[in-house]
Amino acid sequence: MAASHAGRQPQNDGYRTLSLSGHVGFGSLPDQLVKKSIKQGFCFNILCIGETGSGKSTLINSLFNTNFDDPVSTHFLPSVRLRAQTYELQESNVLLKLTIVNTVGFGDQINKEDSYQPIVDYIDAQFEAYLQEELKIKRSLFSYHDTRIHVCLYFISPTGHSLKTLDLLTMKSLDSKVNIIPIIGKADSISKTELQKFKNKIMSELVSNGIQIYQFPTDDETVSKINTIMNGHLPFAIVGSTEEVKIGNKMVRARQYPWGIVQVENENHCDFVKLREMLICTNMEDLREQTHARHYELYRRCRLEEMGFRDIGPENKPVRLLVFHIE
């Protein structure tokens, strides 16, 4: 039965809005999508950049409450190598295919000028592999293992002074290709006062050098408030540990020193809980969406233009690609 004339609403952008006189059933579409997503599972790919010994492996183990058995890295590699390892994790009935990409030997070379180039090449190679799958006549994107990097956790040494030239060069070369979340590793090695000054200094240097880091989205009112607050805590000061220490009647993950105990999940001690909430609980899907809609889309458009493809505008003139950097 057609909707009644009285239910018709004013026309918007060429479409009429109609009211329904009874139950139809498409209100269950979100439930159908959830079921399909759970059945298919999810993938999430993390790139960890930082010098050898900066706490990358310990943090990843702490974030996912498991031991990934990452091999110990040497300080004597002639160049930076990227090591990708994929794991299948399950929490409740949700399956996650997690890929951890580690930068082995980053910052260890005497000549550090080209340390970031293998990282750029790796990220581009994952974009290219996805693009080639898209361009196939017979595609299988549903079953394709998407290896595009969704987030880069960039580990900053806790010097208390300023960012190193290598940090600035690397982040500047990556900010249009990946979502960067800066992290101060082993943050218990400097005092709280020094730490806050160091955070302010880092953010000031990122802005002055035109480096765009990932900002937790504030357009969704359900997470707008918490994400706005957390944007003000960047870069996160992190302490990681998989060892448990007894405090009172509880066993907690912590690092024990002669002068005291630093609890990993105590927000008065470090930002580990903030990072976990923002990265995994609140914004994991946004990181995936930003990778596809922003970073991959930019790569795809550039590559298609290189191949000779052009979009035609309203006046039958080619639409040129414009790249904007927001500062």
Side-chain angles (χ1 to χ4, degrees), residues 46 70 81-87 98-104 122 126 147 149:
I46 302 176
D70 192 35
R81 288 193 296 107
L82 280 86
R83 181 170 60 215
Q85 294 176 292
T86 301
Y87 309 87
L98 177 69
T99 298
I100 308 295
V101 183
N102 201 355
T103 49
V104 183
Y122 180 88
Q126 312 320 304
T147 56
I149 298 299

Side-chain angles (χ1 to χ4, degrees), residues 273-286:
V273 171
K274 294 182 179 70
L275 172 64
R276 185 178 61 193
E277 290 294 317
M278 291 293 98
L279 177 67
I280 300 172
C281 302
T282 306
N283 297 302
M284 182 182 276
E285 183 55 28
D286 185 73

Side-chain angles (χ1 to χ4, degrees), residues 93-148:
N93 63 338
V94 178
L95 294 171
L96 179 67
K97 186 177 284 186
L98 177 69
T99 298
I100 308 295
V101 183
N102 201 355
T103 49
V104 183
F106 180 78
D108 289 343
Q109 295 74 35
I110 294 174
N111 182 2
K112 298 178 173 60
E113 288 182 5
D114 296 328
S115 289
Y116 59 85
Q117 194 57 48
I119 303 171
V120 173
D121 294 343
Y122 180 88
I123 293 172
D124 283 348
Q126 312 320 304
F127 283 153
E128 184 65 24
Y130 192 89
L131 176 62
Q132 291 303 321
E133 184 64 32
E134 270 191 335
L135 293 176
K136 286 181 181 178
I137 294 174
K138 187 177 180 181
R139 302 186 297 179
S140 55
L141 288 172
F142 180 80
S143 59
Y144 177 78
H145 178 203
D146 186 0
T147 56
R148 294 173 299 174

Side-chain angles (χ1 to χ4, degrees), residues 27 56 89 133 292 301:
K56 300 186 294 294
L89 308 178
E133 184 64 32
H292 183 76
R301 289 172 66 187

Side-chain angles (χ1 to χ4, degrees), residues 13 17 26 34 54 73 78 107 188 207 225 253 273 279 303 318-319:
D13 297 326
T17 301
F26 56 79
V34 168
S54 59
S73 303
D188 52 340
V207 171
K225 186 176 180 181
R253 284 186 294 169
V273 171
L279 177 67
R303 286 287 287 119
V319 177

Side-chain angles (χ1 to χ4, degrees), residues 88-325:
E88 287 192 348
L89 308 178
Q90 182 169 351
E91 185 176 45
S92 301
N93 63 338
V94 178
L95 294 171
L96 179 67
K97 186 177 284 186
L98 177 69
T99 298
I100 308 295
V101 183
N102 201 355
T103 49
V104 183
F106 180 78
D108 289 343
Q109 295 74 35
I110 294 174
N111 182 2
K112 298 178 173 60
E113 288 182 5
D114 296 328
S115 289
Y116 59 85
Q117 194 57 48
I119 303 171
V120 173
D121 294 343
Y122 180 88
I123 293 172
D124 283 348
Q126 312 320 304
F127 283 153
E128 184 65 24
Y130 192 89
L131 176 62
Q132 291 303 321
E133 184 64 32
E134 270 191 335
L135 293 176
K136 286 181 181 178
I137 294 174
K138 187 177 180 181
R139 302 186 297 179
S140 55
L141 288 172
F142 180 80
S143 59
Y144 177 78
H145 178 203
D146 186 0
T147 56
R148 294 173 299 174
I149 298 299
H150 298 122
V151 65
C152 167
L153 299 181
Y154 195 96
F155 288 71
I156 298 164
S157 298
T159 61
H161 302 299
S162 60
L163 287 168
K164 298 177 182 179
T165 302
L166 177 59
D167 296 328
L168 293 170
L169 287 172
T170 302
M171 284 191 271
K172 186 66 177 175
S173 67
L174 296 178
D175 68 353
S176 65
K177 298 177 180 291
V178 69
N179 303 307
I180 300 173
I181 298 180
I183 287 170
I184 302 171
K186 297 186 174 180
D188 52 340
S189 61
I190 56 177
S191 71
K192 276 194 172 183
T193 304
E194 289 175 318
L195 184 58
Q196 190 53 55
K197 288 180 181 177
F198 190 37
K199 281 189 172 193
N200 296 339
K201 177 73 171 172
I202 289 169
M203 293 306 293
S204 173
E205 289 185 333
L206 291 175
V207 171
S208 63
N209 284 276
I211 295 169
Q212 299 178 50
I213 61 172
Y214 175 72
Q215 293 288 303
F216 304 120
T218 56
D219 50 351
D220 181 350
E221 62 181 19
T222 60
V223 295
S224 175
K225 186 176 180 181
I226 186 65
N227 278 353
T228 300
I229 293 170
M230 290 302 159
N231 280 329
H233 282 283
L234 290 169
F236 291 132
I238 300 299
V239 177
S241 177
T242 53
E243 297 177 7
E244 291 196 330
V245 176
K246 190 172 184 179
I247 297 179
N249 296 322
K250 288 199 309 180
M251 296 297 290
V252 298
R253 284 186 294 169
R255 300 189 77 89
Q256 192 159 15
Y257 298 97
W259 46 263
I261 296 172
V262 178
Q263 298 177 46
V264 171
E265 297 187 54
N266 186 328
E267 293 194 58
N268 292 320
H269 292 186
C270 74
D271 295 331
F272 172 82
V273 171
K274 294 182 179 70
L275 172 64
R276 185 178 61 193
E277 290 294 317
M278 291 293 98
L279 177 67
I280 300 172
C281 302
T282 306
N283 297 302
M284 182 182 276
E285 183 55 28
D286 185 73
L287 287 161
R288 286 158 38 94
E289 287 178 4
Q290 286 293 315
T291 298
H292 183 76
R294 181 183 169 204
H295 300 300
Y296 171 68
E297 186 64 20
L298 176 59
Y299 177 87
R300 175 181 171 276
R301 289 172 66 187
C302 290
R303 286 287 287 119
L304 291 180
E305 285 205 342
E306 287 175 10
M307 295 176 190
F309 291 93
R310 292 290 186 274
D311 282 338
I312 302 299
E315 300 175 1
N316 289 325
K317 294 181 179 179
V319 177
R320 298 193 60 80
L321 171 64
L322 297 177
V323 180
F324 295 98
H325 268 277

